[in-house]
Amino acid sequence: MAHEQLNPLVLPDADGNFGKHGGKIGHPKLAAALAEIEAGFRSIIGDAAFVEEMKRLQATYIGRPSPIYHAQTLSKRGAQIYLKREDLNHTGAHKINHCIGEVLLAKKLGKKKVIAETGAGQHGVALATAAALLGLECEIHMGVVDIQKEHPNVSRMKILGAKLVPVSAGAGTLKEAVDSAFEAYMSQFDGSMFAIGSVVGPAPYPEMVSYFQSIIGHEAREQFQSQYGGLPDEVVACVGGGSNALGLFNAFINDESVDLVGVEPAGEGLDKPGRHAATMTLGKFGNIQGFNCYYLQEADGTPAAVHSIASGLDYPGIGPQHCHLKDLGRGRYETVTDKEALDAFLALSREEGIIPALESSHAVAYALRRAKELDGNRRLLVNLSGRGDKDIDYVLSKIDV
């Protein structure tokens, strides 16, 4: 796990910037706390004992490497569709990859508690799991709307011993959960560490989370070449904050023959303000929650209301590395509606026997659409970032069975 595993294009400059995006926090006390986290991060990634412990937990606790599966029935539509099965990780999603790293870091720094936000609940479950494993307290802030939608994950967090803080301010979704968690953290710097759940926020979080998630792409690139020969034509992942996508993209950035495709939520339609979360498609540059990026905003620059059928994607901003990849023309960002995501959820469930998270269903939906445009020799590698246990009740409320 040498630091060289991150491509230079997704490494920040000394000020925490990726091109014009990213940056460090200006708040003096918070800046000092984040500087402590950054120094700790730099220390542990060069520590052989830490690297060895991470490798041990990845293999024996998370269950890595996650396999690549050729979805042969879905592939009858045209291009061949392959799935990187992050849904098979312990806790059911990619989030455990960085949560183990963040909690190990918190322990190294002498902290007794980790604090975080969660949308769909996968980050909350993964952080609560890592905290239980390593003996730290865990406090999770979650919007009341998402608590209702993602009840199974709420129950899991409570069983794992986490303190759940409902957030009713504003829309009661992911952005408000981030605001609430940061506010709580600012009152308890000394004994706690904030553990962001994606490649968003001020430095060092985008770099740190992408470092821990980069194992997805490095595994996938080696596996695909070994199992199927050559490289895929496109690597595809859903994007909210963008951690699972960046984890996959990183290892393929230098492969010019491979398109990097992020899929964001068009919700109920791009023509309906407040009813989508298509940040890269319709967002503008600015500063949100302490970092610069493209985000959906009102005329006065405040974050706009957003929506997605997938709780983990309804965030008005996106990670600065994705913005930088877009500016460079290296990343391509597409949209999928709620209906397309729901249809893809059912297609993968009923044609391959794999129930995906609604977040991941956005990437699957794009792949199904794209497969019809390509011949059967083209290959699409989709990051199946999470499983859909958490979404079953919600999906059943939306369909006739």
Side-chain angles (χ1 to χ4, degrees):
M1 288 181 57
H3 198 233
E4 289 73 29
Q5 72 183 47
L6 280 183
N7 188 285
L9 286 183
V10 292
L11 282 172
D13 63 20
D15 296 319
N17 291 307
F18 308 86
K20 66 180 182 179
H21 306 278
K24 296 188 175 183
I25 199 76
H27 187 285
K29 288 186 177 180
L30 187 53
L34 297 190
E36 179 192 20
I37 293 172
E38 182 170 1
F41 169 63
R42 305 254 176 255
S43 173
I44 62 171
I45 62 176
D47 182 343
F50 170 83
V51 172
E52 191 60 35
E53 178 67 355
M54 276 294 296
K55 287 182 177 178
R56 183 184 72 82
L57 291 172
Q58 286 166 345
T60 65
Y61 193 72
I62 298 175
R64 306 207 68 91
S66 64
I68 289 180
Y69 169 72
H70 184 194
Q72 296 188 34
T73 304
L74 295 186
S75 299
K76 292 177 181 178
R77 289 163 171 79
Q80 302 305 298
I81 297 173
Y82 300 82
L83 307 176
K84 177 61 170 164
R85 297 292 307 277
E86 291 296 291
D87 60 310
L88 295 179
N89 292 340
H90 179 44
T91 73
H94 69 291
K95 298 290 188 181
I96 191 68
N97 297 328
H98 69 257
C99 284
I100 290 287
E102 288 182 325
V103 177
L104 281 171
L105 172 58
K107 195 164 187 176
K108 182 81 170 180
L109 293 174
K111 306 301 183 183
K112 305 298 182 184
K113 181 179 183 179
V114 285
I115 300 172
E117 85 300 334
T118 195
Q122 289 301 128
H123 174 59
V125 168
L127 194 67
T129 298
L133 172 69
L134 296 168
L136 273 67
E137 297 177 48
C138 182
E139 178 178 310
I140 302 295
H141 294 243
M142 188 174 189
V144 292
V145 171
D146 295 332
I147 287 174
Q148 290 181 335
K149 286 174 66 177
E150 308 292 358
H151 181 72
N153 274 347
V154 172
S155 299
R156 294 167 76 192
M157 284 183 273
K158 291 179 178 178
I159 288 171
L160 289 161
K163 176 185 176 183
L164 185 72
V165 180
V167 180
S168 58
T173 55
L174 183 55
K175 176 194 170 293
E176 290 76 24
V178 175
D179 290 337
S180 177
F182 255 121
E183 185 176 346
Y185 174 53
M186 289 176 69
S187 67
Q188 44 190 313
F189 287 138
D190 292 341
S192 68
M193 188 183 105
F194 192 90
I196 281 183
S198 193
V199 288
V200 296
Y205 289 109
E207 178 188 3
M208 186 166 70
V209 173
S210 61
Y211 171 84
F212 291 124
Q213 289 295 346
S214 65
I215 191 170
I216 300 172
H218 288 294
E219 280 183 5
R221 192 175 187 279
E222 182 178 336
Q223 288 169 319
F224 203 91
Q225 288 179 305
S226 174
Q227 294 171 221
Y228 304 108
L231 296 171
D233 295 291
E234 298 183 16
V235 293
V236 183
C238 65
V239 287
S243 61
N244 93 91
L246 200 64
L248 179 64
F249 292 175
N250 171 70
F252 295 92
I253 288 175
N254 290 340
D255 299 310
E256 295 183 3
S257 66
V258 181
D259 288 347
L260 314 179
V261 184
V263 186
E264 59 183 6
E268 295 173 3
L270 297 178
D271 59 341
K272 297 181 179 179
R275 303 307 300 167
H276 64 78
T279 304
M280 296 292 262
T281 304
L282 296 174
K284 298 178 181 178
F285 179 78
N287 188 280
I288 181 175
Q289 295 180 323
F291 71 105
N292 294 318
C293 68
Y294 296 121
Y295 70 97
L296 295 168
Q297 51 189 278
E298 303 291 356
D300 62 359
T302 57
V306 291
H307 159 81
S308 172
I309 195 173
S311 294
L313 302 183
D314 58 356
Y315 182 65
I318 190 170
Q321 291 134 305
H322 284 292
C323 300
H324 188 47
L325 289 174
K326 178 184 178 181
D327 288 351
L328 294 172
R330 186 62 189 96
R332 174 160 56 88
Y333 295 85
E334 304 282 348
T335 64
V336 158
T337 65
D338 285 351
K339 183 182 184 305
E340 288 176 302
L342 188 58
D343 288 346
F345 179 101
L346 294 173
L348 185 55
S349 298
R350 293 173 176 177
E351 296 180 37
E352 298 284 355
I354 300 171
I355 303 175
L358 281 169
E359 290 77 18
S360 314
S361 299
H362 284 70
V364 175
Y366 165 82
L368 295 178
R369 186 173 73 204
R370 181 67 168 150
K372 295 176 182 178
E373 302 170 355
L374 302 172
D375 67 45
N377 295 318
R378 301 295 291 277
R379 302 185 295 187
L380 310 176
L381 175 60
V382 177
N383 196 22
L384 197 66
S385 57
R387 62 175 174 247
D389 304 32
K390 66 186 180 61
D391 297 311
I392 289 172
D393 291 341
Y394 181 74
V395 168
L396 286 174
S397 74
K398 297 293 181 182
I399 64 172
D400 295 322
V401 292

